[in-house]
Amino acid sequence: MIRIDSLTKRYGTFAAVDDVSFTAFPGRVTGFLGPNGAGKSTTLRALTGLATPTAGRATVLGHRYQDLPNPGLDVGVLLDASALHGGRTGRETLVLSQRTMGLPPIRVDEMLDLVGLTWAEGKRRVRDYSLGMRQRLGIATALMGDPKVLVLDEPANGLDPAGIRWMRDLLRGFADDGGTVLLSSHLLSEIEMIADDIIMIGRGRIVASGATHELLAGVGTLVRSDDGTLLVDALTSAGFQATRRPDGAVATDADLETAGQVAFRAGLPVTELRSADGHGLEDMFLELTAPDQREEAPSRRTSLPNGVAA
Amino acid sequence: MSAPVLDPTVVGPRATTARPRIPMTRLVDVEFRKLVDTRSSRWLLAAVPLLTLVVVTGVTLWGSDEEVTFGMHTTTNMMPMELLLPLVAVLSVAGEWSQRSALTTFALVPRRGRVLSAKAAALLVATLAATATVLALSAIGTVVAAQVRGIGTVWDLPLELALRLALANVVAVAFGFLVGVAIRSTAPAMVAYLAFMFVVPILSSMVAGMWSWWAENGPWIDLSWSTAFVTAPEITGEQWAQVGTSTLIWIVVPLALATRRVLRTEIR
């Protein structure tokens, strides 16, 4: 189990991760989804003791990662498949991890087998590996200590479709055996296929989280008003769940009629009211991504439909 | 199935902190292995005996009779090692960052201080082993030179001087280690180390020529100057003190500051 608790990481005044909290449960694959630069990697580095959080706390299996006496045996970590010493052979890379963790030498060959690297490939220098081969080698390092938790940053990068399929089956099996998997990706389609739960992050903050099928079903209502914050307050005090989406619209589990009435009673003019469609998550994700392309921002504003000031 | 709600009393934290900690010996073993498992570091290490062999052969064949005593042989033969071994130290630390293998290293051993200590210990072992190798090669050179020339073998290396030669090597490697920890990028760190080795002594002697205070007091500060005393046949108490102060200035204090930084910095 992984628990992230009000984690904040600032660089100067810039908050790369801003008050992020979530839990990754055993037996489930948790997808950590967000555009590049959203704070995924920073969160994972803080979780694995490679970065010190400015505030908040991250624990694995109930402990701070730094307090684990031999972390490789509890947590398999792959943060960047390209971060391997190019001058070592793939096999030697594994031998160093095997020795550090104090495992029997046979584990090295078992892991090469498991990730589908041949004996000849193991003898090659990592410098000559494709990104896909490096991912496999990184997975081998992560799995070697037979951990209960896996933390993987963009593990599908560089894998071919067959490789992605292989990775999916591997992580599925790991979770089905009671393991906890936290993997990040900037591709919704990838996460959709493999994750049981999704944590979506944008500009350092969590914007959506929940079980994948619920998030994708997009059940509920989308209601928009000039003041989204007041609308959220009104809906929550009426006993409904309500979240403000990045575009200002509010998603709620109240049905159409009730949502309209709640807004009316709160004195909030409704500018849009409709059932949330199945693409809610994708819309949200695209909206998260768009403002990061700054040169497009002004033209977006002028092209908005009349009267809809966000 | 709805979003998972797990009873914290059921999924309690497992007693993972009850595992034995990774012993230091294992970390030293791993760091020692890293010194020899890449082509660049292996060649640098292999170059020490190879170059020493070249120097031994040269001195044995063409050196004057005074230069082929054991003491003179050894002092001369230490030179390739004193230049190359610190580069191994630079690589062993800076390489982790340049190659970004630090990400794996520190994920497996989050107590970064232990990794740095293990690296230092592995380098110490390598330095002492290399020193012993050079001594052995020098002994062979001494015997061969005496046979070829038909002169008596002169075993004029007192234990005290031998230990001082070893100490000089350790200081040189410690400086390389410091440069690696402080700069953490292979190319700039190597340049910085070589600049220190070649440029600082020249600058220092130029300044000494123009400024009498420096000519008198330079060795208190200039590490390259004071370490030259360590390998001289005789060394005075004042010179030992100068070795101490310059080591403090150039190695101990900067290493403490650089280590503190490494312990806190974010590993990317």
Side-chain angles (χ1 to χ4, degrees), chain B residues 24-268:
Chain B
M24 200 60 197
T25 44
R26 215 151 78 198
L27 293 179
V28 175
D29 164 67
V30 167
E31 291 304 332
F32 195 81
R33 196 178 165 103
K34 284 186 192 172
L35 291 183
V36 292
D37 72 354
T38 67
R39 209 176 280 173
S40 50
S41 61
R42 200 181 298 151
W43 272 110
L44 264 176
L45 275 180
V48 172
L50 290 178
L51 272 178
T52 307
L53 206 62
V54 171
V55 176
V56 170
T57 313
V59 172
T60 302
L61 294 182
W62 297 295
S64 67
D65 285 359
E66 293 80 53
E67 282 170 343
V68 295
T69 69
F70 185 49
M72 287 301 289
H73 241 313
T74 309
T75 314
T76 314
N77 295 340
M78 287 294 175
M79 282 188 320
M81 163 179 177
E82 239 172 280
L83 183 69
L84 291 177
L85 220 50
L87 285 176
V88 175
V90 170
L91 272 184
S92 103
V93 189
E96 292 268 4
W97 270 268
S98 279
Q99 297 280 343
R100 300 189 55 225
S101 50
L103 219 54
T104 309
T105 303
F106 292 121
L108 287 177
V109 189
R111 306 278 166 134
R112 300 181 197 170
R114 302 188 79 215
V115 174
L116 287 183
S117 310
K119 279 191 188 295
L123 286 165
L124 182 66
V125 172
T127 309
L128 296 179
T131 307
T133 309
V134 172
L135 279 170
L137 288 173
S138 304
I140 295 168
T142 309
V143 173
V144 171
Q147 294 294 321
V148 168
R149 292 154 196 251
I151 56 174
T153 47
V154 186
W155 301 104
D156 58 346
L157 183 72
L159 178 66
E160 183 257 351
L161 180 57
L163 290 176
R164 279 198 275 127
L165 289 173
L167 176 69
N169 292 335
V170 171
V171 170
V173 172
F175 183 72
F177 182 70
L178 155 72
V179 173
V181 176
I183 297 180
R184 301 199 300 277
S185 176
T186 312
M190 286 180 117
V191 169
Y193 165 72
L194 291 172
F196 180 84
M197 287 300 286
F198 294 111
V199 180
V200 171
I202 295 170
L203 282 179
S204 179
S205 63
M206 275 167 58
V207 173
M210 294 180 290
W211 187 24
S212 59
W213 184 88
W214 184 255
E216 188 123 335
N217 297 300
W220 292 99
I221 295 163
D222 182 352
L223 181 66
S224 62
W225 192 340
S226 67
T227 44
F229 301 150
V230 178
T231 52
E234 302 291 334
I235 181 167
T236 67
E238 187 189 46
Q239 286 171 332
W240 272 122
Q242 288 169 333
V243 172
T245 55
S246 54
T247 307
L248 196 71
I249 294 168
W250 284 92
I251 298 179
V252 179
V253 173
L255 188 58
L257 294 175
T259 303
R260 207 174 74 129
R261 234 184 110 70
V262 167
L263 298 188
R264 292 175 180 193
T265 191
E266 180 168 350
I267 312 288
R268 287 163 179 278

Side-chain angles (χ1 to χ4, degrees), chain A residues 11 28 45 65 80 92 213, chain B residues 1 19 37 100 107 266:
Chain A
Y11 300 100
R28 299 182 74 88
R45 279 198 296 265
Y65 188 90
D80 188 342
E92 177 63 19
H213 65 94
Chain B
M1 202 176 80
R19 290 186 195 286
D37 72 354
R100 300 189 55 225
E266 180 168 350

Side-chain angles (χ1 to χ4, degrees), chain A residues 236-281:
Chain A
T236 18
S237 51
F240 298 104
Q241 291 193 346
T243 43
R244 193 157 175 236
R245 307 199 331 178
D247 63 351
V250 173
T252 174
D253 58 347
D255 61 41
L256 281 173
E257 193 183 334
T258 321
Q261 281 173 351
V262 168
F264 180 75
R265 278 200 300 273
L268 295 165
V270 169
T271 53
E272 188 183 353
L273 181 63
R274 60 177 168 92
S275 331
D277 48 45
H279 299 294
L281 197 65

Side-chain angles (χ1 to χ4, degrees), chain A residues 68-125:
Chain A
L68 298 173
N70 193 346
L73 302 182
D74 294 312
V75 188
V77 178
L78 170 57
L79 292 189
D80 188 342
S82 56
L84 295 166
H85 198 299
R88 290 194 184 108
T89 64
R91 199 169 190 289
E92 177 63 19
T93 306
L94 294 183
V95 167
L96 291 177
S97 300
Q98 167 254 318
R99 290 201 170 202
T100 306
M101 290 185 251
L103 298 166
I106 185 78
R107 282 302 275 168
V108 172
D109 296 307
E110 287 174 4
M111 285 302 114
L112 284 172
D113 272 354
L114 179 75
V115 301
L117 289 172
T118 63
W119 189 81
E121 284 169 333
K123 300 288 269 185
R124 272 160 64 184
R125 279 169 205 286

